Amino acid sequence: MTGRLGRAQVHLIFVQMKNRIRLNRILALAALLLAAIGTYSLPSSYAQTAGRFYPETSKTLAPEFVAYYDAKGGLPIFGYPLTDAEIEGG
């Protein structure tokens, strides 16, 4: 059977082509999603109200405290935030 492909070989080639097409579609979709995410930005008002995130403790300094924190010495005086802000008695 030299020069001719058997049924199993043709089927295998067809399956490989289908898989390659699927992979190309998935990669194209992933590229589109990454491009869309890359162009997305948060509104400027969000940056002002979101506080300040510290990856060292995975905590965010509440926006109400940021100005005080910075004015009174910041990280060297207060260190990293250890807990999230909580409302008491309210």
Side-chain angles (χ1 to χ4, degrees):
M1 255 191 359
T2 59
R4 290 187 63 193
L5 297 175
R7 271 190 153 169
Q9 291 171 321
V10 170
H11 179 70
L12 180 62
I13 291 170
F14 179 71
V15 168
Q16 289 173 343
M17 287 174 47
K18 276 179 49 178
N19 289 340
R20 188 170 296 138
I21 291 169
R22 284 184 187 147
L23 179 61
N24 287 341
R25 286 181 180 169
I26 291 170
L27 291 174
L29 180 61
L32 284 173
L33 287 172
L34 287 174
I37 290 170
T39 59
Y40 179 77
S41 62
L42 293 172
S44 60
S45 61
Y46 181 81
Q48 296 169 355
T49 61
R52 185 181 299 151
F53 179 73
Y54 289 91
E56 293 83 0
T57 59
S58 297
K59 300 296 179 189
T60 300
L61 184 62
E64 297 85 5
F65 301 124
V66 172
Y68 179 85
Y69 182 86
D70 291 341
K72 301 296 181 181
L75 190 59
I77 300 298
F78 297 108
Y80 294 107
L82 300 177
T83 60
D84 292 319
E86 296 180 16
I87 298 174
E88 294 184 6

